[in-house]
Amino acid sequence: MSTRVKLGHHFYYTVTVEDLKSGRMRGKNVVLEGTVEDKPRIEFLPMELPGYRTVFSVAGIRIEFSGSPCLGKGDKVRVYGRFLAGDLIAMAIETEKALFIAEE
């Protein structure tokens, strides 16, 4: 099994893209490092809280984050979240300059 890191009250397994694509990490808390491949899409959700959802990809893995972090194409990120059904639902995104955390 991969190494574990702690952020807040949760532990996350450090994984590679191959680990995620194999499906053996489905349903687990993971941390993935990489570069934002495309322009993040920020969606306004008027009927839901927190009101914004950001969607982007790292190494072909789709990532969703509840909120609107300051990210751009080419940024190096470390994403903490739960891997479900081929997507990574991010709880935190760490960049070189900031740490963005979603409410639990």
Side-chain angles (χ1 to χ4, degrees), residues 55-72:
V55 180
F56 61 97
S57 62
V58 170
I61 303 294
R62 184 175 183 270
I63 298 170
E64 284 189 26
F65 181 74
S66 294
S68 57
C70 296
L71 294 177

Side-chain angles (χ1 to χ4, degrees), residues 14 16 28 31 35 38-39 47 49 52 55 58 98 100-101:
T14 304
T16 63
K28 297 198 183 323
V31 58
T35 304
D38 49 0
K39 290 181 183 180
M47 302 303 285
L49 291 176
Y52 292 94
V55 180
V58 170
F100 303 95
I101 300 176

Side-chain angles (χ1 to χ4, degrees), residues 65-79:
F65 181 74
S66 294
S68 57
C70 296
L71 294 177
K73 182 178 180 177
D75 287 353
K76 293 181 182 179
V77 294
R78 179 178 293 156
V79 181

Side-chain angles (χ1 to χ4, degrees), residues 1-103:
M1 192 58 80
S2 323
T3 60
R4 292 186 335 163
V5 294
K6 185 174 182 182
L7 179 69
H9 300 293
H10 300 284
F11 284 96
Y12 297 86
Y13 293 102
T14 304
V15 296
T16 63
V17 175
E18 291 79 27
D19 292 334
L20 296 179
K21 289 186 178 179
S22 73
R24 65 186 177 106
M25 298 306 287
R26 180 167 280 152
K28 297 198 183 323
N29 288 342
V30 299
V31 58
L32 176 67
E33 292 187 39
T35 304
V36 177
E37 292 180 335
D38 49 0
K39 290 181 183 180
R41 187 177 74 236
I42 300 172
E43 302 170 350
F44 177 64
L45 307 169
M47 302 303 285
E48 299 179 25
L49 291 176
Y52 292 94
R53 175 176 53 206
T54 303
V55 180
F56 61 97
S57 62
V58 170
I61 303 294
R62 184 175 183 270
I63 298 170
E64 284 189 26
F65 181 74
S66 294
S68 57
C70 296
L71 294 177
K73 182 178 180 177
D75 287 353
K76 293 181 182 179
V77 294
R78 179 178 293 156
V79 181
Y80 299 82
R82 184 171 292 262
F83 186 64
L84 301 171
D87 294 344
L88 183 56
I89 309 304
M91 299 307 293
I93 300 172
E94 184 176 1
T95 67
E96 295 174 356
K97 296 182 180 182
L99 176 64
F100 303 95
I101 300 176
E103 287 188 35

